[in-house]
Amino acid sequence: MAKIIIKFNNEVVDHIDLKQGDMKIGRRPGCDIHIDNLAVSGEHANIFTIGEDSFIQDLDSTNGTFLNNKRIAKHHFRNGDQVVIGKFTLVYVTEHVSAAAATPQEDFAKTVIINPAAMPKPQAPTAVPVSGAAKSESHGALYVLSGANSGKRIELTKSVTSLGKTGKRTGTILRVAEGYQIDAREADEVPKVNGRPVPVEGIMLKNGDVIEVGGTRLQFLAK
């Protein structure tokens, strides 16, 4: 399923699943994607989805619709495209991508989210096993807020997820009974949460927390 992630000042403010057919974007109440900002026209643009393909078309808006700093009239979305409307950025993300298109996300995952098996697990705290029922009900995810992979989503389905580039550890996210905990035990570079360094003993993550790690900003979202 494709979705639009809406960002303002590089912070994720909403994410909307795209439905088949037309979805209007604008300031006018009743628009499918409502953006209440004076820089946005009443009916600014339209997203049309058919099958696995989505298109965006500017509706003769006053301030225009932009992709890569170029004003566009119509555009066929590709995974990761970022469209600017007023002061808002709309990131198009789809699960239906080809192997070639998926490569950047896979490379990012290998670089920033390292397979736990590739690194020694922290001695403490110990991740608490979560029942299969609890796992199916909810889990967390990371949205990439900055860099070339902005808009990518990484599901936190493992008990232990190590953060950092190859050979450089920058913290660990543990799935515990109470939710998700990030700690800096044995970290070569201490990550930050909401601008503050993570203490060695760790802290619990809350929905919307912004993590800075290895020069990349990610937002934690609880489902």
Side-chain angles (χ1 to χ4, degrees):
M1 176 182 292
K3 66 177 59 184
I4 290 290
I5 299 171
I6 302 176
K7 296 165 53 177
F8 180 74
N9 288 336
N10 213 30
E11 300 291 339
V12 174
V13 296
D14 201 0
H15 46 95
I16 298 172
D17 293 332
L18 295 181
K19 64 183 181 182
Q20 294 292 304
D22 293 298
M23 293 185 71
K24 281 190 170 58
I25 304 169
R27 193 175 75 249
R28 182 175 299 166
C31 284
D32 301 283
I33 302 176
H34 182 236
I35 302 178
D36 188 10
N37 184 270
L38 293 176
V40 180
S41 297
E43 290 189 352
H44 195 106
N46 183 68
I47 295 178
F48 177 72
T49 301
I50 179 169
E52 297 177 5
D53 294 304
S54 296
F55 304 81
I56 186 168
Q57 181 175 3
D58 184 79
L59 299 177
D60 296 323
S61 63
T62 301
N63 294 317
T65 301
F66 294 83
L67 176 72
N68 299 327
N69 296 319
K70 294 183 179 179
R71 189 165 183 162
I72 59 172
K74 188 175 182 179
H75 175 71
H76 183 187
F77 273 126
R78 291 181 297 178
N79 190 49
D81 276 347
Q82 300 188 44
V83 170
V84 176
I85 293 178
K87 296 183 179 180
F88 289 80
T89 300
L90 280 64
V91 183
Y92 175 79
V93 182
T94 179
E95 298 173 0
H96 302 288
V97 294
S98 64
T103 301
Q105 182 175 4
E106 292 170 358
D107 290 344
F108 173 79
K110 291 176 182 177
T111 301
V112 179
I113 310 297
I114 299 176
N115 188 322
M119 297 176 59
K121 293 184 180 180
Q123 296 299 313
T126 303
V128 178
V130 183
S131 68
K135 285 186 178 181
S136 64
E137 290 175 0
S138 64
H139 66 270
L142 295 176
Y143 275 107
V144 185
L145 300 178
S146 64
N149 293 283
S150 179
K152 304 296 184 185
R153 178 189 178 108
I154 300 171
E155 303 291 342
L156 297 175
T157 56
K158 297 181 180 295
S159 296
V160 180
T161 300
S162 298
L163 304 175
K165 296 181 180 180
T166 304
K168 188 173 184 180
R169 291 168 292 182
T170 52
T172 304
I173 294 179
L174 304 173
R175 188 176 186 188
V176 297
E178 297 80 10
Y180 288 85
Q181 176 178 324
I182 182 170
D183 74 70
R185 194 175 300 273
E186 298 184 3
D188 299 315
E189 179 182 336
V190 177
K192 294 181 180 180
V193 173
N194 301 326
R196 297 182 178 181
V198 173
V200 173
E201 65 273 15
I203 57 173
M204 294 299 297
L205 288 171
K206 301 185 296 295
N207 187 45
D209 279 349
V210 175
I211 303 168
E212 297 176 54
V213 53
T216 299
R217 297 175 72 246
L218 310 105
Q219 185 172 42
F220 172 75
L221 292 178
K223 295 178 61 179

